[in-house]
Amino acid sequence: MKPFKKWFGTPTKDEESIFSLDTDNIPNHVAVIMDGNGRWAQKRGLPRVAGHHSGMKNVKKITLAADQIGVQALTLYAFSTENWKRPKDEVEYLMKLPLEFFPKEIDELIANNIRIRITGWPEALPDYTRKSVEDAIRQTEHNTGLILNFALNYGSRKEMISGVQRIAQEAAAGRLRPEDINEELFSQYMLTAPLPDPDLLIRTSGELRISNFMLWQLAYSELYFTELCWPEFNEQHFYMAIQEYQRRARRYGGL
Ligand code: IPE
Ligand code: IPE
Ligand code: MG
C-alpha cells in the first residue's frame, strides 16, 4: 500500500481506519450535507446555535481528514436558498460563522495548501459574510491542494434555472445553436463548474433526502447516509464512509 501523503507518527486506535483504505480508489470529489446541528444541540439541552458552532468546528477536522487521503475537492452544504425561511436570529448566527471560522482557521488551511471557493449566490449574503468569504477565497487563490468548496446560499433548482436562462440568452443572441446544448455544455453552466461531479455524497443526521443539493451533479454519485449528526461526525466516521464507497461497484448503467 502506498503511504498516505502528509502522514506522520504512529496512528492512534481511532486513526487506524485510514490504513485500511485503498489509496488507488479515493473519491476525487466528496460532497457533504452537514445536517443535524440543531438536533445535536437540542439532545444536549443546548440552543440550536450551539450546534451550529460545534458544526463549524468540525469543518476543519473533516477538511484535513479529506486532504490527508488525497481527496481533491470537498463541497460542504453550509446554507441553502431555503434556509432563509428560518428564524431571523438563527440566520444571523449562521451568517456570522464565517467571521469566526476564517480568521481562526485560515493559517492552517493555507499551510495545507487548501483553496477556498464558493458555490452559490454570494451577492445575496450580508456584506460582512460575503466579504469574509471573498477574503478567504483571495488569500487562498494560488493554493493548489484540496479545494474546499462551500455551498453557501445554494439551491440546485435555482442553479439549473439560472443556467438555462443563460444558455437561452446565448441562443437568442445567436452565439449558440440549440443542437449544441449537451450534457457537457449544461455542466459548464452549473455554479460548480469546473469541479467534476461528486463521486460520493455524505448526509449526516439520518435524513434520507437530497434537499435541493446538486441535483444535476449527483446523477451517478454514491450516496452515504449516517444517523450521526454533523457535530459528532469525526475523521474515523469520514474514513468509514470512504471505506463503504470503496466497496461499491459503480456501473453507470453498464455491466
Ligand atoms: C444543518 O443543521 C445546518 C444548516 C442547515 C445550516 P440543521 O440546522 O438543519 O440541524 P437540524 O436538521 O435542524 O437538526
Ligand atoms: C440541508 O439541510 C441544508 C444544509 C445542510 C445547509 P436542511 O436541514 O435545511 O434540510 P431539510 O429541511 O431537512 O430538508
Ligand atoms: Mg436540518
Side-chain angles (χ1 to χ4, degrees):
M1 190 172 124
K2 282 185 297 186
F4 280 104
K5 62 173 182 165
K6 286 186 286 175
W7 184 265
F8 305 110
T10 317
T12 63
K13 183 126 190 65
D14 265 9
E15 291 159 345
E16 268 169 14
S17 51
I18 192 174
F19 289 104
S20 56
L21 294 179
D22 172 3
T23 49
D24 292 325
N25 186 19
I26 299 294
N28 281 322
H29 185 181
V30 178
V32 185
I33 302 178
M34 309 184 286
D35 198 14
N37 291 349
R39 277 165 286 164
W40 177 88
Q42 277 163 340
K43 264 187 276 178
R44 286 158 182 77
L46 299 168
R48 288 181 53 84
V49 293
H52 294 315
H53 194 259
S54 199
M56 176 199 77
K57 289 198 282 188
N58 207 32
V59 165
K60 184 182 79 178
K61 226 199 276 180
I62 299 303
T63 301
L64 296 180
D67 185 42
Q68 185 76 63
I69 59 169
V71 169
Q72 282 163 33
L74 178 69
T75 295
L76 302 177
Y77 203 5
F79 193 87
S80 77
T81 46
E82 288 70 35
N83 288 147
W84 295 108
K85 292 182 213 160
R86 295 191 179 197
K88 192 170 159 284
D89 287 356
E90 182 168 337
V91 170
E92 204 172 292
Y93 188 89
L94 288 165
M95 289 300 151
K96 288 193 173 140
L97 286 178
L99 280 72
E100 181 178 342
F101 177 78
F102 289 117
K104 206 184 256 175
E105 312 295 6
I106 198 78
D107 288 347
E108 195 168 351
L109 296 175
I110 291 172
N112 283 282
N113 198 21
I114 289 166
R115 181 170 172 186
I116 310 290
R117 59 162 281 166
I118 176 175
T119 287
W121 291 274
E123 55 277 19
L125 300 171
D127 282 347
Y128 52 82
T129 312
R130 187 177 41 76
K131 193 181 165 308
S132 162
V133 178
E134 284 172 356
D135 283 350
I137 292 172
R138 210 171 309 113
Q139 283 175 276
T140 61
E141 69 188 341
H142 299 300
N143 290 351
T144 53
L146 174 104
I147 294 169
L148 174 57
N149 181 35
F150 288 99
L152 194 51
N153 190 28
Y154 171 82
S156 182
R157 287 188 167 187
K158 187 172 150 84
E159 173 190 40
M160 286 195 275
I161 296 293
S162 103
V164 167
Q165 284 173 344
R166 283 182 292 133
I167 290 170
Q169 279 158 6
E170 291 298 295
R175 288 191 290 266
L176 183 72
R177 293 175 308 169
E179 57 270 32
D180 292 334
I181 302 170
N182 55 28
E183 292 187 12
E184 202 186 314
L185 181 126
F186 191 79
S187 292
Q188 287 164 11
Y189 282 81
M190 294 297 99
L191 298 177
T192 44
L195 292 182
D197 291 342
D199 301 291
L200 170 65
L201 170 78
I202 298 171
R203 183 171 189 151
T204 58
S205 91
E207 303 296 358
L208 305 180
R209 56 177 169 261
I210 302 297
S211 300
N212 201 17
F213 187 54
M214 292 180 134
L215 300 175
W216 170 261
Q217 297 88 334
L218 292 172
Y220 272 106
S221 309
E222 294 299 324
L223 309 181
Y224 180 87
F225 297 98
T226 166
E227 290 288 328
L228 294 164
C229 289
W230 172 248
E232 63 196 351
F233 184 80
N234 64 24
E235 295 95 328
Q236 202 191 351
H237 302 128
F238 181 77
Y239 293 137
M240 277 161 58
I242 304 290
Q243 221 165 24
E244 167 66 25
Y245 167 84
Q246 295 187 334
R247 283 195 287 266
R248 307 266 180 96
R250 301 185 75 186
R251 283 188 288 274
Y252 302 95
L255 289 180

